[in-house]
Amino acid sequence: MSTRELVVLGTASQVPTRHRNQNGYLLRWDGEGILFDPGEGTQRQMLRAGVAATDITRICVTHFHGDHSLGLSGVIQRLSLDKVAHPVDAHFPASGAHYFERMRHATAFYEQADLREHPIAEDGPIATGKLTLEARRLSHPVEAFGYRLTEPDGRTMLPERLREHGIAGPDVGRLQREGRLGTTTIEDVSTPRHGQRFAFVMDTRLCDAVYALSENADMLVIESTFLAEDTSLAKDFGHLTAQQAARVAAESGVRQLVLTHFSQRYPDPARFLEEAKGEFDGEIVVAQDLERVQVPKRRSFPTA
């Protein structure tokens, strides 16, 4: 059975608190485990959340500020210590490649894992296949990229229809690949299925890329470092407010909004929720460390 969930490892911004670790997010998506922005302490948070190094198939770093990347050294070494057998792809801004190299080899260790580096220099797809992973440049004092995961639309096979048409075993796969088997078409034995979309937007001011990444996302994980009362500070430091993040979600057709990356200046997380509710009437999650957030079920096609 497929699993699609966000495991929240840390939700603080620059400074961790007693209750919030620095950033870290693992997206479980069927057989993929995508680790986003491992800040300091991520390896221990993984242990507490029940996430193993072997769960990680891909690492995505938005930018090289410490709260988004200082956990890389420990995570990378853990991949080798636990003898992760599969390749792990690492995506990060090309302008920070020297930082990645330093953290990859910060201390002596026996490197066994197959870690494959993919520096990002421009907007566009960075991995394709059953899923498309793309990156877009954000607006922050250092170069930063947001990420978007897109699953194409497909078909859900109906067992009772397959039986009616006498199709079983390898013929099911052949029908899916070719679209027709004898006189039977794939439309005869299946229903349309919406692909799902996930967006990850960290440190940035409002810009076109924020909207492009968020468009029709089933789940949008987005920074909300500040509250609206500090909008000018947010702009100066290259961040968003909860109000701005919620407005993006409302204008972009987002289904589930996950707010995170909170400044330690606000002790009450309920204020982020109340502010977001004023702009967005969909599902809102104010992320907490070690929380698991389920990706919403697929959108339904309208019935005739």
Side-chain angles (χ1 to χ4, degrees), residues 243-281:
Q243 183 183 68
Q244 290 171 328
R247 193 173 296 156
V248 166
E251 294 176 4
S252 302
V254 169
R255 297 176 64 203
Q256 183 186 56
L257 172 64
V258 180
L259 300 175
T260 188
H261 196 272
F262 308 111
S263 170
Q264 75 276 12
R265 72 182 62 219
Y266 310 112
D268 183 7
R271 296 184 64 194
F272 290 88
L273 178 61
E274 289 307 310
E275 186 165 295
K277 281 182 175 179
E279 301 290 337
F280 179 64
D281 61 4

Side-chain angles (χ1 to χ4, degrees), residues 137-195:
R137 186 177 280 103
L138 299 169
S139 175
H140 197 53
V142 301
E143 187 173 51
F145 285 88
Y147 295 93
R148 177 179 171 89
L149 190 72
T150 303
E151 176 188 44
D153 292 342
R155 311 284 304 185
T156 297
M157 307 303 286
L158 301 174
E160 66 278 7
R161 296 274 185 87
L162 289 169
R163 286 194 294 271
E164 289 173 8
H165 287 261
I167 299 172
D171 284 341
V172 176
R174 182 181 168 192
L175 177 59
Q176 289 176 308
R177 291 189 301 273
E178 301 178 8
R180 176 181 290 272
L181 190 64
T183 60
T184 302
T185 66
I186 193 166
E187 289 80 8
D188 294 329
V189 294
S190 65
T191 58
R193 183 189 68 214
H194 269 304

Side-chain angles (χ1 to χ4, degrees), residues 79-200:
L79 296 174
S80 288
L81 181 65
D82 289 1
K83 297 180 174 60
V84 173
H86 55 259
V88 176
D89 295 289
H91 306 275
F92 51 86
S95 61
H98 56 297
Y99 295 124
F100 189 91
E101 180 66 18
R102 290 172 190 169
M103 283 184 278
R104 180 171 183 173
H105 299 292
T107 66
F109 74 105
Y110 182 45
E111 188 168 15
Q112 299 184 79
D114 182 6
L115 182 65
R116 302 178 180 182
E117 299 181 18
H118 304 281
I120 306 166
E122 58 187 25
D123 292 357
I126 55 176
T128 57
K130 292 182 179 179
L131 302 169
T132 297
L133 180 66
E134 63 179 294
R136 287 183 181 264
R137 186 177 280 103
L138 299 169
S139 175
H140 197 53
V142 301
E143 187 173 51
F145 285 88
Y147 295 93
R148 177 179 171 89
L149 190 72
T150 303
E151 176 188 44
D153 292 342
R155 311 284 304 185
T156 297
M157 307 303 286
L158 301 174
E160 66 278 7
R161 296 274 185 87
L162 289 169
R163 286 194 294 271
E164 289 173 8
H165 287 261
I167 299 172
D171 284 341
V172 176
R174 182 181 168 192
L175 177 59
Q176 289 176 308
R177 291 189 301 273
E178 301 178 8
R180 176 181 290 272
L181 190 64
T183 60
T184 302
T185 66
I186 193 166
E187 289 80 8
D188 294 329
V189 294
S190 65
T191 58
R193 183 189 68 214
H194 269 304
Q196 291 192 300
R197 300 170 178 85
F198 169 88
F200 187 81

Side-chain angles (χ1 to χ4, degrees), residues 12-72:
S13 54
Q14 187 175 27
V15 178
T17 71
R18 290 178 180 272
H19 305 291
R20 295 188 182 279
N21 198 74
Q22 286 190 338
N23 288 279
Y25 312 85
L26 182 86
L27 178 67
R28 296 186 189 274
W29 191 285
D30 302 341
E32 284 257 23
I34 306 175
L35 179 64
F36 291 94
D37 280 7
E40 185 178 354
T42 292
Q43 186 179 182
R44 186 168 186 273
Q45 291 294 93
M46 287 168 54
L47 179 65
R48 297 180 68 200
V51 173
T54 51
D55 294 332
I56 300 170
T57 60
R58 197 176 298 274
I59 299 171
C60 293
V61 178
T62 58
H63 66 291
F64 285 99
H65 276 156
D67 53 322
H68 297 260
S69 60
L70 280 176
L72 277 167

